[in-house]
Coordinates of all heavy atoms in Angstrom, one line a residue:
M48 N 92.6 119.5 91.4 CA 92.4 118.3 91.9 C 93.7 117.5 91.8 O 93.8 116.6 92.7 CB 91.4 117.5 91.2 CG 91.1 116.2 91.7 SD 89.4 115.9 92.0 CE 89.4 114.2 92.3
I49 N 94.6 117.9 91.0 CA 95.8 117.1 91.0 C 96.8 117.4 92.2 O 97.3 116.6 92.8 CB 96.6 117.5 89.7 CG1 95.9 116.7 88.4 CG2 98.0 116.7 89.7 CD1 96.4 117.0 87.1
L50 N 96.8 118.7 92.4 CA 97.6 119.2 93.6 C 96.8 119.7 94.6 O 95.6 120.3 94.4 CB 98.6 120.4 93.1 CG 99.6 120.0 92.1 CD1 100.3 121.3 91.6 CD2 100.5 119.0 92.6
P51 N 97.2 119.5 96.0 CA 96.4 120.0 97.1 C 96.5 121.6 97.0 O 97.4 122.3 96.6 CB 97.0 119.5 98.2 CG 98.5 119.1 97.9 CD 98.3 118.9 96.4
N52 N 95.5 122.2 97.6 CA 95.3 123.7 97.8 C 94.6 124.0 99.0 O 94.2 123.0 99.7 CB 94.9 124.4 96.6 CG 93.5 124.1 96.2 OD1 92.7 123.8 97.0 ND2 93.2 124.0 94.8
K53 N 94.1 125.2 99.2 CA 93.4 125.5 100.5 C 92.0 124.8 100.5 O 91.2 124.7 101.6 CB 93.3 127.0 100.7 CG 92.5 127.7 99.8 CD 92.5 129.2 100.2 CE 91.6 130.0 99.2 NZ 91.5 131.4 99.7
H54 N 91.4 124.4 99.4 CA 90.1 123.7 99.3 C 90.2 122.3 99.1 O 89.2 121.6 99.2 CB 89.4 124.5 98.2 CG 89.2 125.8 98.3 ND1 88.3 126.5 99.2 CD2 89.6 126.9 97.6 CE1 88.3 127.7 99.2 NE2 89.2 128.0 98.1
I55 N 91.4 121.7 98.6 CA 91.4 120.3 98.4 C 92.6 119.8 99.4 O 93.8 120.3 99.4 CB 91.9 120.0 97.0 CG1 90.8 120.5 96.0 CG2 92.2 118.5 96.8 CD1 91.2 120.3 94.6
R56 N 92.2 118.8 100.2 CA 93.2 118.2 101.1 C 94.2 117.3 100.3 O 94.0 117.0 99.2 CB 92.6 117.2 102.1 CG 91.6 118.1 103.0 CD 91.0 117.2 104.1 NE 90.3 116.2 103.2 CZ 89.4 115.3 104.0 NH1 89.3 115.3 105.2 NH2 88.9 114.3 103.2
F57 N 95.3 117.2 100.9 CA 96.3 116.2 100.2 C 95.7 114.9 100.0 O 96.1 114.3 98.9 CB 97.6 116.2 101.1 CG 98.7 115.5 100.5 CD1 99.4 116.1 99.4 CD2 99.1 114.3 100.9 CE1 100.5 115.4 98.8 CE2 100.1 113.6 100.3 CZ 100.8 114.2 99.2
S58 N 95.0 114.4 100.9 CA 94.5 113.0 100.6 C 93.4 112.9 99.6 O 93.1 111.9 99.1 CB 93.8 112.4 102.0 OG 92.8 113.4 102.4
E59 N 92.9 114.1 99.2 CA 91.9 114.1 98.1 C 92.6 114.5 96.7 O 91.8 114.3 95.7 CB 90.8 115.2 98.5 CG 90.0 115.0 99.5 CD 89.1 116.2 99.9 OE1 89.6 117.4 99.6 OE2 88.1 116.0 100.5
S60 N 93.9 114.8 96.7 CA 94.5 115.2 95.5 C 95.1 113.9 94.9 O 95.3 112.8 95.4 CB 95.7 116.1 95.9 OG 96.7 115.4 96.5
I61 N 95.4 114.0 93.5 CA 96.0 112.9 92.8 C 97.4 112.6 93.2 O 97.8 111.5 93.3 CB 95.9 113.2 91.3 CG1 94.5 113.4 90.7 CG2 96.6 112.1 90.5 CD1 93.6 112.3 90.8
L62 N 98.0 113.7 93.6 CA 99.4 113.5 94.1 C 99.5 112.7 95.4 O 100.3 111.8 95.6 CB 100.1 114.9 94.3 CG 101.5 115.0 94.7 CD1 102.3 114.3 93.5 CD2 101.9 116.4 95.0
G63 N 98.6 113.0 96.3 CA 98.4 112.2 97.5 C 98.1 110.8 97.3 O 98.5 109.8 97.9
L64 N 97.1 110.5 96.3 CA 96.7 109.3 96.0 C 97.8 108.4 95.3 O 98.2 107.2 95.6 CB 95.5 109.3 95.2 CG 95.0 107.9 94.5 CD1 94.7 107.0 95.8 CD2 93.9 108.0 93.5
A65 N 98.7 109.1 94.4 CA 99.8 108.5 93.9 C 100.8 108.0 94.9 O 101.4 106.9 94.8 CB 100.5 109.6 92.9
G66 N 101.0 108.9 95.9 CA 101.9 108.5 97.1 C 101.3 107.3 97.8 O 102.2 106.3 98.2
Y67 N 100.1 107.1 98.1 CA 99.5 106.0 98.6 C 99.7 104.7 97.8 O 100.1 103.7 98.2 CB 98.0 106.2 99.1 CG 97.3 105.0 99.4 CD1 97.5 104.4 100.7 CD2 96.5 104.3 98.5 CE1 97.0 103.2 101.0 CE2 95.8 103.0 98.8 CZ 96.2 102.6 100.0 OH 95.6 101.4 100.4
L68 N 99.4 104.8 96.5 CA 99.6 103.9 95.5 C 101.0 103.2 95.4 O 101.2 102.0 95.3 CB 99.1 104.1 94.1 CG 97.4 104.4 94.1 CD1 97.1 104.8 92.7 CD2 96.6 103.2 94.6
L69 N 102.0 104.3 95.4 CA 103.3 103.8 95.3 C 103.7 103.0 96.6 O 104.4 102.0 96.5 CB 104.3 105.0 95.3 CG 105.7 104.7 95.3 CD1 106.1 103.9 94.0 CD2 106.5 106.2 95.1
S70 N 103.2 103.2 97.8 CA 103.5 102.6 99.1 C 102.9 101.1 98.8 O 103.4 100.1 99.3 CB 103.0 103.2 100.3 OG 101.6 103.2 100.3
R71 N 101.6 101.0 98.3 CA 101.1 99.7 98.0 C 101.7 98.8 97.1 O 102.0 97.7 97.2 CB 99.7 99.9 97.5 CG 98.7 100.5 98.5 CD 98.6 99.9 99.8 NE 98.1 98.5 99.6 CZ 98.2 97.6 100.8 NH1 98.7 97.9 101.8 NH2 97.7 96.3 100.3
I72 N 102.4 99.6 96.0 CA 103.1 98.8 95.0 C 104.4 98.3 95.6 O 104.8 97.3 95.3 CB 103.4 99.7 93.7 CG1 102.0 100.0 93.1 CG2 104.4 99.1 92.8 CD1 102.1 101.1 91.9
Q73 N 105.0 99.1 96.4 CA 106.4 98.7 97.1 C 106.0 97.5 98.0 O 106.8 96.7 98.1 CB 106.9 99.9 97.8 CG 107.5 100.8 96.9 CD 108.0 102.1 97.7 OE1 107.5 102.5 98.8 NE2 109.0 102.7 97.2
E74 N 105.0 97.5 98.7 CA 104.6 96.4 99.6 C 104.2 95.0 98.9 O 104.6 94.1 99.3 CB 103.5 96.8 100.5 CG 103.7 97.8 101.6 CD 102.4 98.1 102.3 OE1 101.3 97.5 102.2 OE2 102.5 99.2 103.0
R75 N 103.5 95.2 97.7 CA 103.0 94.0 97.1 C 104.0 93.5 96.0 O 103.9 92.4 95.6 CB 101.7 94.3 96.3 CG 100.6 94.7 97.3 CD 99.5 94.9 96.4 NE 98.5 93.8 96.8 CZ 97.6 93.4 96.2 NH1 97.4 93.7 95.0 NH2 96.7 92.4 96.6
G76 N 105.1 94.3 95.8 CA 105.9 93.9 94.5 C 105.2 94.4 93.2 O 105.0 95.7 93.0
N77 N 104.8 93.5 92.4 CA 104.1 94.0 91.2 C 102.7 93.8 91.4 O 102.3 92.8 92.0 CB 104.7 93.5 89.9 CG 104.6 92.0 89.9 OD1 104.0 91.3 90.7 ND2 105.2 91.4 88.8
C78 N 101.7 94.5 90.8 CA 100.2 94.2 90.9 C 99.6 95.0 89.7 O 100.2 95.6 89.0 CB 99.8 95.0 92.2 SG 100.2 96.7 92.3
S79 N 98.2 94.6 89.6 CA 97.5 95.1 88.6 C 96.7 96.4 89.1 O 96.6 96.6 90.3 CB 96.5 94.1 88.1 OG 95.6 93.8 89.1
V80 N 96.0 97.0 88.2 CA 95.3 98.2 88.5 C 94.0 97.7 89.2 O 93.7 98.4 90.3 CB 94.8 98.9 87.3 CG1 93.8 100.1 87.6 CG2 96.0 99.5 86.5
D81 N 93.5 96.5 88.9 CA 92.3 95.9 89.7 C 92.7 95.7 91.1 O 91.9 96.0 92.1 CB 91.8 94.8 89.0 CG 91.2 95.0 87.8 OD1 90.5 96.2 87.6 OD2 91.1 94.2 86.9
E82 N 93.9 95.2 91.4 CA 94.4 95.0 92.8 C 94.6 96.3 93.5 O 94.2 96.3 94.7 CB 95.6 94.2 92.7 CG 95.5 92.9 92.3 CD 96.7 92.1 92.0 OE1 97.8 92.6 92.0 OE2 96.7 90.8 91.9
L83 N 95.1 97.3 92.9 CA 95.1 98.7 93.5 C 93.8 99.2 93.8 O 93.6 99.7 95.0 CB 95.9 99.7 92.6 CG 97.4 99.4 92.5 CD1 98.0 100.3 91.5 CD2 98.1 99.3 93.8
W84 N 92.8 98.9 92.9 CA 91.5 99.5 93.2 C 90.9 98.8 94.3 O 90.2 99.4 95.3 CB 90.6 99.3 92.0 CG 89.2 99.5 92.1 CD1 88.1 98.6 92.0 CD2 88.5 100.7 92.3 NE1 86.9 99.1 92.2 CE2 87.2 100.4 92.3 CE3 89.0 102.0 92.5 CZ2 86.2 101.5 92.6 CZ3 88.1 103.0 92.8 CH2 86.6 102.8 92.8
N85 N 91.0 97.4 94.5 CA 90.5 96.7 95.6 C 91.1 97.1 96.8 O 90.5 97.1 97.9 CB 90.7 95.2 95.3 CG 89.8 94.6 94.3 OD1 88.8 95.2 94.1 ND2 90.2 93.5 93.5
D86 N 92.4 97.3 97.0 CA 93.1 97.9 98.0 C 92.5 99.2 98.5 O 92.3 99.3 99.6 CB 94.6 98.1 97.8 CG 95.3 96.8 97.7 OD1 94.8 95.6 98.1 OD2 96.5 96.7 97.3
C87 N 92.3 100.1 97.5 CA 91.7 101.4 98.0 C 90.3 101.2 98.5 O 89.9 101.8 99.4 CB 91.7 102.3 96.7 SG 93.3 102.9 96.2
Q88 N 89.5 100.4 97.9 CA 88.2 100.1 98.5 C 88.3 99.5 99.8 O 87.4 99.9 100.7 CB 87.3 99.2 97.5 CG 87.1 99.8 96.1 CD 86.4 101.1 96.3 OE1 85.3 101.2 97.0 NE2 86.9 102.2 95.8
H89 N 89.1 98.6 100.0 CA 89.3 98.0 101.4 C 89.6 99.1 102.5 O 89.3 99.2 103.5 CB 90.3 96.9 101.4 CG 90.6 96.3 102.7 ND1 89.7 95.5 103.4 CD2 91.7 96.2 103.5 CE1 90.2 95.1 104.5 NE2 91.3 95.6 104.5
E90 N 90.6 100.0 102.0 CA 91.1 101.0 102.9 C 90.1 102.0 103.3 O 90.0 102.6 104.4 CB 92.4 101.7 102.3 CG 93.7 100.8 102.1 CD 94.2 100.3 103.5 OE1 94.2 101.2 104.4 OE2 94.6 99.3 103.6
I91 N 89.2 102.4 102.3 CA 88.1 103.3 102.4 C 87.1 102.7 103.4 O 86.6 103.5 104.3 CB 87.4 103.7 101.1 CG1 88.4 104.5 100.3 CG2 86.2 104.4 101.3 CD1 88.0 104.8 98.8
S92 N 86.7 101.5 103.3 CA 85.8 100.8 104.2 C 86.3 100.6 105.6 O 85.6 100.7 106.5 CB 85.4 99.4 103.5 OG 86.5 98.6 103.6
G93 N 87.6 100.6 105.7 CA 88.2 100.4 107.0 C 88.7 101.8 107.6 O 89.3 102.0 108.6
F94 N 88.3 103.0 106.9 CA 88.6 104.3 107.2 C 90.1 104.6 107.4 O 90.4 105.4 108.0 CB 87.8 104.6 108.5 CG 86.3 104.5 108.4 CD1 85.7 103.5 109.1 CD2 85.8 105.5 107.8 CE1 84.3 103.4 109.0 CE2 84.4 105.4 107.7 CZ 83.6 104.4 108.4
R95 N 91.0 103.9 106.7 CA 92.3 104.2 106.7 C 92.7 105.2 105.7 O 93.6 106.0 105.8 CB 93.2 102.9 106.6 CG 93.1 102.0 107.9 CD 93.9 100.8 107.8 NE 95.3 101.3 107.6 CZ 96.3 100.5 107.3 NH1 96.1 99.3 106.9 NH2 97.6 100.9 107.3
L96 N 91.9 105.1 104.6 CA 92.1 106.2 103.5 C 91.2 107.2 103.6 O 89.9 107.0 103.7 CB 92.0 105.4 102.1 CG 92.5 106.2 100.8 CD1 94.0 106.5 101.0 CD2 92.2 105.3 99.6
L97 N 91.7 108.5 103.8 CA 90.8 109.6 104.3 C 89.8 110.0 103.1 O 88.7 110.5 103.4 CB 91.6 110.7 104.8 CG 92.5 110.5 106.0 CD1 93.3 111.7 106.1 CD2 91.6 110.1 107.1
A98 N 90.2 110.0 101.9 CA 89.3 110.5 100.8 C 88.8 109.3 100.1 O 89.4 108.3 99.7 CB 90.1 111.3 100.0
N99 N 87.5 109.4 99.7 CA 86.9 108.4 98.7 C 87.4 108.7 97.3 O 86.9 109.7 96.7 CB 85.4 108.4 98.8 CG 84.7 107.4 98.1 OD1 85.3 106.5 97.6 ND2 83.4 107.4 98.2
Q100 N 88.3 107.8 96.7 CA 88.7 108.0 95.4 C 88.0 107.3 94.3 O 87.6 106.1 94.7 CB 90.2 107.8 95.4 CG 91.1 108.6 96.2 CD 91.3 110.0 95.7 OE1 90.9 110.4 94.6 NE2 91.8 110.9 96.6
S101 N 87.9 107.8 93.1 CA 87.1 107.0 92.2 C 88.2 106.1 91.3 O 89.4 106.3 91.4 CB 86.5 108.0 91.2 OG 87.4 108.7 90.5
F102 N 87.7 105.3 90.5 CA 88.6 104.4 89.6 C 89.3 105.3 88.7 O 90.5 105.2 88.4 CB 87.7 103.4 88.9 CG 88.6 102.4 88.2 CD1 89.3 101.4 88.9 CD2 88.7 102.5 86.8 CE1 90.1 100.5 88.2 CE2 89.5 101.6 86.1 CZ 90.3 100.6 86.8
D103 N 88.6 106.4 88.2 CA 89.3 107.3 87.2 C 90.5 108.0 88.0 O 91.7 108.1 87.3 CB 88.4 108.4 86.8 CG 87.3 107.9 85.9 OD1 87.6 106.8 85.3 OD2 86.3 108.4 85.7
N104 N 90.4 108.4 89.2 CA 91.5 109.0 89.9 C 92.6 108.0 90.1 O 93.9 108.3 90.1 CB 91.0 109.5 91.2 CG 90.3 110.8 91.1 OD1 90.2 111.3 90.0 ND2 89.7 111.1 92.2
I105 N 92.4 106.7 90.3 CA 93.4 105.7 90.5 C 94.1 105.5 89.1 O 95.5 105.5 89.2 CB 92.8 104.3 90.9 CG1 92.1 104.5 92.3 CG2 93.8 103.2 90.8 CD1 92.0 103.5 93.2
I106 N 93.5 105.6 88.1 CA 94.1 105.5 86.8 C 95.0 106.8 86.6 O 96.2 106.7 86.2 CB 93.1 105.4 85.6 CG1 92.3 104.1 85.8 CG2 93.8 105.5 84.2 CD1 93.1 102.9 85.6
R107 N 94.6 108.0 86.9 CA 95.3 109.2 86.8 C 96.6 109.1 87.7 O 97.6 109.6 87.4 CB 94.4 110.4 87.2 CG 93.3 110.8 86.2 CD 92.5 111.9 86.6 NE 91.4 112.1 85.6 CZ 90.1 112.0 85.9 NH1 89.8 111.7 87.1 NH2 89.2 112.1 85.0
A108 N 96.4 108.6 88.8 CA 97.6 108.6 89.8 C 98.7 107.6 89.2 O 99.9 107.9 89.4 CB 97.1 108.0 91.1
V109 N 98.2 106.5 88.7 CA 99.1 105.5 88.1 C 99.8 106.2 86.9 O 101.0 106.1 86.7 CB 98.4 104.1 87.7 CG1 99.4 103.2 87.0 CG2 98.0 103.5 89.0
D110 N 99.1 106.9 86.0 CA 99.6 107.6 85.0 C 100.7 108.5 85.4 O 101.7 108.7 84.8 CB 98.5 108.4 84.2 CG 97.7 107.5 83.3 OD1 98.2 106.2 83.0 OD2 96.6 107.8 82.8
L111 N 100.4 109.4 86.6 CA 101.3 110.2 87.0 C 102.7 109.6 87.4 O 103.7 110.0 87.2 CB 100.7 111.0 88.2 CG 101.5 112.0 89.0 CD1 101.8 113.2 88.0 CD2 100.8 112.5 90.2
L112 N 102.5 108.5 88.1 CA 103.7 107.8 88.5 C 104.4 107.3 87.3 O 105.7 107.2 87.3 CB 103.3 106.7 89.5 CG 102.8 106.9 90.9 CD1 102.2 105.6 91.6 CD2 103.8 107.6 91.7
Y113 N 103.7 106.8 86.2 CA 104.4 106.4 85.1 C 105.1 107.6 84.4 O 106.3 107.3 83.9 CB 103.4 105.8 84.1 CG 104.0 105.3 82.8 CD1 104.7 104.1 82.7 CD2 103.9 106.0 81.7 CE1 105.3 103.6 81.6 CE2 104.4 105.6 80.5 CZ 105.1 104.4 80.4 OH 105.7 104.1 79.3
M114 N 104.5 108.7 84.3 CA 105.1 109.9 83.8 C 106.3 110.4 84.3 O 107.2 111.0 83.8 CB 104.0 111.0 83.5 CG 103.0 110.7 82.4 SD 101.9 112.1 82.1 CE 100.9 112.0 83.6
M115 N 106.3 110.1 85.8 CA 107.4 110.5 86.5 C 108.6 109.5 86.5 O 109.6 109.9 87.0 CB 107.0 110.7 88.1 CG 106.0 111.9 88.2 SD 105.3 112.0 89.8 CE 106.7 112.4 90.7
G116 N 108.3 108.3 85.8 CA 109.3 107.4 85.7 C 109.5 106.5 87.0 O 110.6 105.8 87.2
I117 N 108.5 106.4 87.8 CA 108.6 105.7 89.0 C 108.2 104.2 88.9 O 108.6 103.4 89.5 CB 107.9 106.4 90.1 CG1 108.5 107.8 90.4 CG2 107.8 105.6 91.4 CD1 107.7 108.7 91.4
V118 N 107.1 104.2 88.0 CA 106.6 102.7 87.8 C 106.6 102.5 86.2 O 106.6 103.4 85.5 CB 105.1 102.6 88.3 CG1 105.1 102.6 89.8 CG2 104.2 103.4 87.7
E119 N 106.4 101.2 86.0 CA 106.2 100.8 84.5 C 105.6 99.6 84.5 O 105.3 98.8 85.5 CB 107.6 100.7 83.8 CG 108.6 99.7 84.4 CD 109.8 99.7 83.5 OE1 110.2 100.7 83.1 OE2 110.6 98.7 83.7
L120 N 105.1 99.1 83.2 CA 104.5 97.9 83.1 C 105.4 96.8 82.7 O 106.4 97.2 81.8 CB 103.3 98.0 81.9 CG 102.1 98.9 82.3 CD1 101.3 99.0 81.0 CD2 101.3 98.3 83.4
N121 N 105.3 95.7 83.4 CA 106.4 94.4 82.9 C 105.6 93.8 81.8 O 104.6 94.2 81.2 CB 106.6 93.7 84.2 CG 105.4 93.0 84.7 OD1 104.2 92.9 84.1 ND2 105.5 92.5 85.8
A122 N 106.3 92.8 81.4 CA 105.8 92.0 80.2 C 104.5 91.3 80.5 O 103.8 91.1 79.4 CB 106.9 91.0 79.9
E123 N 104.1 91.1 81.6 CA 102.8 90.5 82.0 C 101.7 91.6 82.1 O 100.5 91.2 82.4 CB 102.9 89.6 83.3 CG 103.9 88.6 83.2 CD 104.3 88.1 84.5 OE1 104.0 88.8 85.6 OE2 105.1 87.1 84.7
G124 N 102.0 92.9 81.9 CA 101.0 93.9 82.0 C 100.7 94.3 83.5 O 99.6 94.8 83.8
R125 N 101.6 94.0 84.4 CA 101.4 94.5 85.8 C 102.3 95.6 86.1 O 103.4 95.8 85.4 CB 101.8 93.2 86.7 CG 100.8 92.1 86.5 CD 101.1 90.8 87.3 NE 100.9 91.0 88.7 CZ 99.8 90.9 89.3 NH1 98.7 90.7 88.6 NH2 99.9 91.0 90.6
I126 N 102.0 96.4 87.1 CA 102.7 97.6 87.4 C 103.8 97.3 88.4 O 103.5 96.5 89.4 CB 101.6 98.6 88.1 CG1 100.6 98.9 87.2 CG2 102.5 99.9 88.5 CD1 99.3 99.6 87.8
E127 N 104.9 97.8 88.1 CA 106.0 97.5 89.1 C 106.9 98.8 89.3 O 106.9 99.6 88.3 CB 106.9 96.3 88.6 CG 107.6 96.5 87.4 CD 108.4 95.3 86.9 OE1 108.2 94.1 87.4 OE2 109.3 95.5 86.1
K128 N 107.5 98.9 90.4 CA 108.5 100.0 90.6 C 109.7 99.9 89.9 O 110.1 98.8 89.8 CB 108.7 100.1 92.2 CG 109.4 101.3 92.5 CD 109.5 101.5 94.1 CE 110.1 102.8 94.4 NZ 111.5 103.0 94.0
V129 N 110.2 101.0 89.4 CA 111.5 100.9 88.6 C 112.6 100.7 89.4 O 112.7 101.3 90.5 CB 111.5 102.2 87.7 CG1 113.0 102.3 86.9 CG2 110.4 102.3 86.7

């Protein structure tokens, strides 16, 4: 589920979700996990996000971005791009 393969589309993978979340973080500046979750729910209801992602997957995608050194938490506890 982390990486796409012949049974999992890129939009269903954690890697694909991490890419989407990174674009949202770049657009908004810094944001909270709840704001990212609300963005994903809005995109799913508007059919712009192809896969229905759970809150757990959003946390995993943010963790992946953090482990890759792309995002970090600021002093206020919000996620920002490095």
